[in-house]
Amino acid sequence: MSSPSQKLKIIRNIGIIAHIDAGKTTVTERILYYTGRVHKMGEVHDGEATMDWMPDEKERGITITSAVTTCQWNGYNINIIDTPGHVDFTIEVERSLRVLDGAVGVFCAVGGVEPQSETVWHQADKYKVPKIAFINKLDRVGADFHRVVEMMKERLGAVPLILQLPWGMEDGFKGIIDLVAMKAVTWNEDALGAEYSEGPIPEELREEADTYRELLIEALSDQDDRLMEKYLSEEPLGLQEVIDSIRFVTVKMKAVPILCGAALRNKGIQPLLDAVVRYLPSPLDVPAIQGHNPLSGKEESRETAISGPLCALAFKVMMDQGRRMTYLRIYSGSVNTGDVVYNSRKGVREKLARLLRMHSNKRERIDSASAGDIVAAMGLKLASTGDTLCAESSPILLEPIQVYDPVISVAVEPKKVQDSDRLQEALSKLADEDPTFRYRVDEDSGQTVVSGMGELHLEVILNRLRREYLVDTNQGRPQVVYRETITRPLVHEEIFQRELAGQQHFAGVKLELSPLPRGSGNRFVERCRHPQLTEDFLKAIVQGVEEGEAGGVLMGYPVIDVQTALVDIQVRDTVSNALAFKVAANIAYKNACEAASPVLLEPIMKAEVLVPEEFTGEVIGDLNSRQGRIEQIAQKGVVQMITASVPLSRMFGYSTALRSVSQGRGTFTMQFSHYDKV
């Protein structure tokens, strides 16, 4: 029987992250085939990929929801999450990275580091996730391995460790040169790449391989003192020493190992699996998860240990034939089917009816799960994304998952009047699954308004309403979600004095509002020196201000980038209470905003357009007509890359416009940048 630490040592929890179309799902598909998890390779372009199981994913050939699977390689258990590459589904990447120990960044050898690759890479940095990079599509026309490595240095600030060189490029891509073992690796195409052979490095590549091997050892000794001594004294280095050193610098996030291949041609996947096992951390290599005790408020941590108290994070909720399925990452302790667990965020107990090991949308029932595992659970009716499940005897609350605010809204109504209750119920279930999707019923118009991260996001939601919940809808035109702010500082005092239900209420509140730089968010500062300012009164004033921030004075949009300072209060014994202070603060905030020259802010998007050179002029003209500000025009292989900041309100239907000005040869990506004055 293996020891608990031995079980943890052989686990790898990894994510496949990349820009749309870099080949993440194809790489995952090959990994599942070579590890024996599937017996037929599915292709994304045929709608047959194992990990893209949703009808929308099959039709569009893109990943929309992150899918979890497990496979074995050389005695190691690898849990893989295949994440979407489209900016509209950023939350799927965010919550996956939050629970992973390592990541494989896939880069297209032609496109290089694209906008969404940057976004997901920085998300991984934020959660301190060690990464290895796989440069894919080396068989494509225009592939350039070394240019992608340079782009990684410039755009991602990465310290690259080149572990492999391509043997040939484009049509002549034969295999790879392994600089760690100093061998050439080729694949048998008749056996779908399942058979590969290692041999000596061909003479014509020997000099280049020696140069890059030397650079690799130099880069390692810069980051690893143990290797430095041997390198300086020119002692020979054993294979295992080099592997250990690469693992050390990868886990410590000092450098990023770089591998290469062509997933669609079945080349480069087995060495990638070896690298995942060799260089990415096991649950034992990552620092203890930090949280705080909800009872004492003190910081606490949980070491990765099967014998410790239970601590798990619910990182994703999915509706499965009307029932809630909750994905869990277990950080410490273990759990069995039928156990009662404690949700420390909501302060409730819940029973785990079933535990499941997932393979995309297929499942396998299991009796128990322990630290290091990623599993799904049925029966948790109240747990939502970001909730902590723990042992009630030793509660802990982990940091929740960051959620992005929607930037686009559409009014929807059911085509059949009798479907309106079903529509509300379906929207509620979809909002449970996806924290970046919101819906509300507009009080004035009675319309149902749904909000999301982009046109594609809302399109997928409306398709799911039709397919899964059988509710057909009519949609209005997309609306942009604006924000409001103030442009000058102002001090305002408000006295609230009224008789309510036969009782006198009195409170005086003096606030100072001042604008903050874009992207700072709202801040509340307490500068009041009044001796009668109690904890209850302060809490009520903060609540009143927060309610004011939720709906501005111009058009009722949320107020952002404003600092509110509480300067003074007025109190009268017996008639001053928390309710009066809350109302006074709310009125003071609204009136101050009105007098502080409020303005409307709109979301500005960063758009990157790739277009053949002959259409550059038309594309720039079109972006200018949309009030876009051109920031950069760069040559990228045979195409021009135009980077621009454009108001979201002017970008609806842009894909159609771009197709018509570039004869269908232009592509673009767009992500939220900041809010600015309309």
Side-chain angles (χ1 to χ4, degrees), residues 446-457:
Q447 277 185 318
T448 300
V449 178
V450 296
S451 308
M453 300 300 291
E455 285 183 277
L456 178 63
H457 187 199

Side-chain angles (χ1 to χ4, degrees), residues 333-473:
S334 54
V335 68
N336 301 307
T337 300
D339 280 2
V340 173
V341 294
Y342 180 65
N343 182 332
S344 55
R345 184 167 304 285
K346 302 210 165 83
V348 292
R349 293 187 196 91
E350 293 205 71
K351 187 174 181 179
L352 293 170
R354 284 205 305 257
L355 286 171
L356 308 164
R357 179 165 288 121
M358 298 304 293
H359 173 48
S360 187
N361 62 333
K362 299 178 185 66
R363 66 206 55 181
E364 174 193 330
R365 287 176 81 155
I366 51 175
D367 297 325
S368 64
S370 56
D373 287 341
I374 293 178
V375 293
M378 304 294 278
L380 300 172
K381 293 188 178 67
L382 299 169
S384 50
T385 299
D387 284 2
T388 308
L389 302 178
C390 56
E392 198 170 356
S393 53
S394 54
I396 187 169
L397 189 55
L398 303 177
E399 181 195 339
I401 291 169
Q402 184 191 341
V403 171
Y404 298 85
D405 286 331
V407 293
I408 178 173
S409 297
V410 169
V412 295
E413 60 181 30
K415 283 188 177 169
K416 299 180 193 145
V417 178
Q418 61 266 38
D419 278 350
S420 40
D421 285 349
R422 275 175 65 190
L423 173 67
Q424 297 300 324
E425 194 184 321
L427 290 175
S428 153
K429 286 180 173 172
L430 289 167
D432 271 352
E433 279 189 32
D434 181 352
T436 57
F437 168 69
R438 318 264 168 89
Y439 76 99
R440 63 185 169 84
V441 177
D442 192 292
E443 288 170 17
D444 303 327
S445 63
Q447 277 185 318
T448 300
V449 178
V450 296
S451 308
M453 300 300 291
E455 285 183 277
L456 178 63
H457 187 199
L458 290 182
E459 213 177 290
V460 168
I461 292 276
L462 297 172
N463 277 350
R464 288 189 61 195
L465 276 177
R466 195 182 74 245
R467 278 196 172 114
E468 292 169 36
Y469 299 98
L470 309 176
V471 178
D472 267 330
T473 55

Side-chain angles (χ1 to χ4, degrees), residues 43-282:
E43 301 299 0
V44 177
H45 49 261
D46 300 333
E48 295 293 323
T50 311
M51 303 302 272
D52 286 350
W53 56 271
M54 281 171 75
D56 268 296
E57 294 180 314
K58 288 177 187 291
E59 279 173 20
R60 296 167 193 272
I62 61 169
T63 304
I64 289 169
T65 178
S66 50
V68 181
T69 188
T70 306
C71 57
Q72 272 77 36
W73 182 252
N74 293 347
Y76 286 80
N77 295 324
I78 307 176
N79 294 319
I80 302 174
I81 301 185
D82 176 29
T83 65
H86 199 287
V87 65
D88 284 16
F89 310 107
T90 298
I91 184 66
E92 290 289 335
V93 187
E94 184 84 21
R95 55 187 174 188
S96 303
L97 286 171
R98 173 76 161 77
V99 298
L100 292 168
D101 303 328
V104 177
V106 180
F107 296 90
C108 167
V110 184
V113 178
E114 295 168 284
Q116 189 61 8
S117 333
E118 276 185 72
T119 306
V120 294
W121 195 267
H122 295 317
Q123 279 174 305
D125 283 341
K126 179 172 80 178
Y127 290 121
K128 299 190 169 49
V129 177
K131 298 166 286 291
I132 55 183
F134 180 71
I135 297 177
N136 190 23
K137 303 193 178 184
L138 282 165
D139 57 326
R140 287 258 311 268
V141 175
D144 188 338
F145 174 80
H146 295 290
R147 188 174 65 87
V148 181
V149 175
E150 283 309 309
M151 285 175 86
M152 288 180 68
K153 283 189 206 166
E154 284 165 30
R155 293 196 172 190
L156 307 175
V159 176
L161 286 180
I162 297 177
L163 305 190
Q164 296 174 353
L165 290 173
W167 179 356
M169 208 89 79
E170 300 183 353
D171 286 350
F173 179 62
K174 289 195 183 82
I176 59 165
I177 305 299
D178 178 349
L179 300 174
V180 179
M182 287 305 272
K183 288 178 184 154
V185 186
T186 52
W187 277 264
N188 177 353
E189 298 200 14
D190 298 336
L192 287 175
E195 293 168 13
Y196 60 102
S197 52
E198 295 177 343
I201 296 171
E203 260 330 294
E204 70 272 18
L205 292 173
R206 189 78 216 188
E207 194 181 327
E208 189 189 4
D210 287 340
T211 307
Y212 275 95
R213 163 76 178 197
E214 189 65 23
L215 288 171
L216 169 65
I217 302 301
E218 254 176 54
L220 283 172
S221 56
D222 280 349
Q223 308 285 354
D224 183 353
D225 296 342
R226 298 168 306 177
L227 207 72
M228 171 75 90
E229 289 171 27
K230 282 202 146 188
Y231 176 67
L232 291 176
S233 56
E234 296 184 4
E235 283 181 51
L237 291 172
L239 177 64
Q240 197 54 47
E241 283 177 294
V242 177
I243 290 173
D244 291 347
S245 181
I246 297 170
R247 179 179 177 79
F248 171 75
V249 300
T250 307
V251 171
K252 290 272 182 253
M253 291 185 67
K254 293 178 173 188
V256 179
I258 296 191
L259 298 94
C260 59
L264 198 60
R265 299 276 164 271
N266 311 317
K267 291 176 182 172
I269 302 298
Q270 294 92 338
L272 174 63
L273 278 163
D274 290 337
V276 164
V277 163
R278 281 176 180 173
Y279 310 130
L280 287 179
S282 76

Side-chain angles (χ1 to χ4, degrees), residues 279-316:
Y279 310 130
L280 287 179
S282 76
L284 289 174
D285 297 317
V286 291
I289 186 87
Q290 302 294 322
H292 67 267
N293 186 317
L295 305 176
S296 66
K298 286 186 179 151
E299 288 284 316
E300 284 191 12
S301 62
R302 291 281 182 275
E303 295 288 341
T304 305
I306 293 172
S307 55
L310 176 69
C311 169
L313 184 77
F315 68 95
K316 181 177 162 107

